[in-house]
Amino acid sequence: MRSSLESVVRGAGHVLAATHVSPDPDGIGSLLALGMLLERMQVSHTLVSQDGVPYDADFLPGADTIVTDAPHDFDVAILLDCSEPRRIGAAAERLDEATVVNIDHHATNTRFGDVIRVDAGALSTSQIVHRLAGELGYSLDRRMATCLLAGLVGDTQGFRIAATDARVLDDAAALVAAGGDLGEVSRGVFGARPLGHVALWGRVLAGASQSAGVLSAQIRLADRRAAGVAEDDDAGIVNFLQSVRGTRAAVIFSEQGDSKVSVSLRSVPGVDVAAVAADFGGGGHRQAAGCTLVGDLIDVSSRVLARVRQAVDDSTLGRGSG
Ligand code: 5GP
Ligand code: MN
C-alpha cells in the first residue's frame, strides 16, 4: 500500500523524528528503527530525544546517533509514542510549519497531526513501526529487529502484562526470526540498572504505605541526591510496587526540582489509571499512566491518591472501565 505517510516521508526535505521526554525502550527503540527505515529510504533526518537515552535503552544499535536538540530546519516531524505533541518537550513549540506524523498506541492519544497512525490496540509503538516497515516494502535486519523487540519487551514488561496476546507473541516471534535476540534485549531492558538504584529503592521502599489496595511511595529530591540517581529516573519502583500481592493500584510520586511532582501509576485490569492521569493533565494506558502536577509532594500525593482510591472503589463496585 502506498500510504500517504509514504508520500509525506519520501517528499520530505528533512525529517525531525522525536520521542517523548523521560523516554523508555519503546520510545527509543521505535525512534531508532524508524531512523533505520529513513536511512534505507535515503531520507535526510535527525533523531531527537530531549532527555537523551536512558540506561534501559543505551545498548540498542545506533543509540549514539540520537541527539537532544531538534535541528534548525525540518519540514516533516514524526512523533513516536507521544499521546500529545508537548510530550516531545521544547520542540513541540516549533511544529507549526511542519507536516506532523503521529505514530502512537496510547489510549489517550489526542489524534493530533496531519498523518495519524494511532492504534490503541497495539501494545507498543514499535509494533506499529514494525507494520509500517512491511507496508513500505522493507524487510527487517538484525539491528532493526533488536530495536523493535526492545519496544515490545519494555512495554509488555517482558510479555507479562495482562494485555499480552497472540498477535504480540507472533510479532515477537517474527522479530526473533529476523535476528532479534530476546535474551540480549531482556538483559538490556531489565538487567542494566545503575548501582544507584539499590540505594534509591532502599530509601524509597522504607517509606511505602498501603491502604485499601493502593500501594504508594515517594521519591524526594534528597533521596535522589543521596543515591546519585538522575532527576527523570524513577528507577522502575512503581512496577515493583504493583507486583505486591493485593495491590490494585501502585503509585510513585517523584519530587522534581521546579516545585513539580511527577506521578507514575500502575493498576490491575478493571482499574483505569489512564483516566486518573488524564484528570490531572497527563495520560497513558489503562494499566500504566502518568502525569506531572505543580505543588509540593504532600499536597500532590493526597490529591492524586484520593482520585486513585476512587478508581479502585469504582472497580470494586463494577463501574471500572479499565
Ligand atoms: P511511566 O510511569 O512508565 O513513566 O509511564 C507510563 C505510561 O504513561 C507511558 O506510556 C507514558 O508514555 C505515559 N505517561 C507518563 N507520563 C505522562 C504524561 O505526563 N502525559 C502523558 N500524556 N502520558 C504520560
Ligand atoms: Mn509505548
Side-chain angles (χ1 to χ4, degrees):
M1 189 179 76
R2 285 187 76 84
S3 55
S4 60
L5 190 151
E6 179 171 8
S7 52
V8 164
V9 171
R10 287 207 189 276
H14 190 84
V15 172
L16 159 71
T19 192
H20 54 84
V21 292
S22 295
D24 56 18
D26 187 32
I28 298 292
S30 298
L31 183 63
L32 289 170
L34 180 78
M36 291 168 197
L37 271 179
L38 295 173
E39 196 71 48
R40 289 213 229 164
M41 295 167 84
Q42 297 185 307
V43 174
S44 162
H45 62 276
T46 306
L47 304 182
V48 175
S49 165
Q50 181 174 296
D51 291 340
V53 177
Y55 68 89
D56 52 3
D58 64 2
F59 69 100
L60 290 173
D64 57 351
T65 64
I66 293 176
V67 298
T68 54
D69 292 315
H72 215 262
D73 291 313
F74 56 88
D75 54 348
V76 172
I78 305 180
L79 276 57
L80 294 149
D81 208 34
C82 294
S83 57
E84 52 185 325
R86 68 187 164 98
R87 290 281 289 154
I88 63 170
E93 307 292 326
R94 299 177 42 211
L95 298 178
D96 287 351
E97 311 280 295
T99 302
V100 174
V101 179
N102 170 4
I103 303 179
D104 185 37
H105 71 122
H106 287 94
T108 53
N109 188 284
T110 59
R111 314 252 154 193
F112 67 88
D114 305 295
V115 177
I116 301 175
R117 283 300 178 93
V118 175
D119 178 2
L123 295 194
S124 66
T125 292
S126 72
Q127 254 188 313
I128 305 173
V129 176
H130 182 177
R131 246 179 280 148
L132 201 62
E135 266 175 43
L136 295 170
Y138 292 98
S139 60
L140 301 174
D141 62 12
R142 197 190 66 79
R143 287 158 50 86
M144 202 185 293
T146 299
C147 293
L148 295 171
L149 193 58
L152 214 43
V153 165
D155 271 19
T156 62
Q157 292 177 30
F159 307 108
R160 289 185 299 128
I161 66 167
T164 304
D165 57 11
R167 192 177 70 151
V168 171
L169 297 175
D170 280 348
D171 281 0
L175 294 171
V176 172
D181 181 333
L182 188 54
E184 178 203 345
V185 167
S186 299
R187 207 166 43 251
V189 172
F190 300 118
R193 293 178 183 284
L195 185 60
H197 281 195
V198 176
L200 191 67
W201 279 51
R203 298 177 78 95
V204 171
L205 292 180
S209 68
Q210 203 267 357
S211 160
V214 181
L215 186 54
S216 65
Q218 302 174 330
I219 305 178
R220 292 186 171 71
L221 281 173
D223 296 325
R224 288 180 189 290
R225 259 182 241 122
V229 170
E231 218 175 84
D232 66 335
D233 180 1
D234 57 15
I237 298 174
V238 73
N239 291 331
F240 174 72
L241 295 180
Q242 183 58 23
S243 76
V244 173
R245 184 179 294 215
T247 302
R248 300 189 49 77
V251 194
I252 277 283
F253 298 97
S254 206
E255 191 178 17
Q256 308 292 310
D258 43 7
S259 68
K260 288 182 181 158
V261 176
S262 72
V263 184
S264 229
L265 300 143
R266 298 290 183 271
S267 64
V268 294
V271 178
D272 183 358
V273 287
V276 174
D279 279 0
F280 296 105
H285 310 292
R286 285 193 169 119
Q287 266 69 66
C291 50
T292 297
L293 283 77
V294 176
D296 67 38
L297 200 52
I298 294 171
D299 161 57
V300 168
S301 300
S302 69
R303 278 160 63 200
V304 173
L305 281 176
R307 178 66 184 84
V308 173
R309 286 202 192 94
Q310 184 197 333
V312 169
D313 289 348
D314 283 354
S315 74
T316 316
L317 298 170
R319 291 200 298 260
S321 57

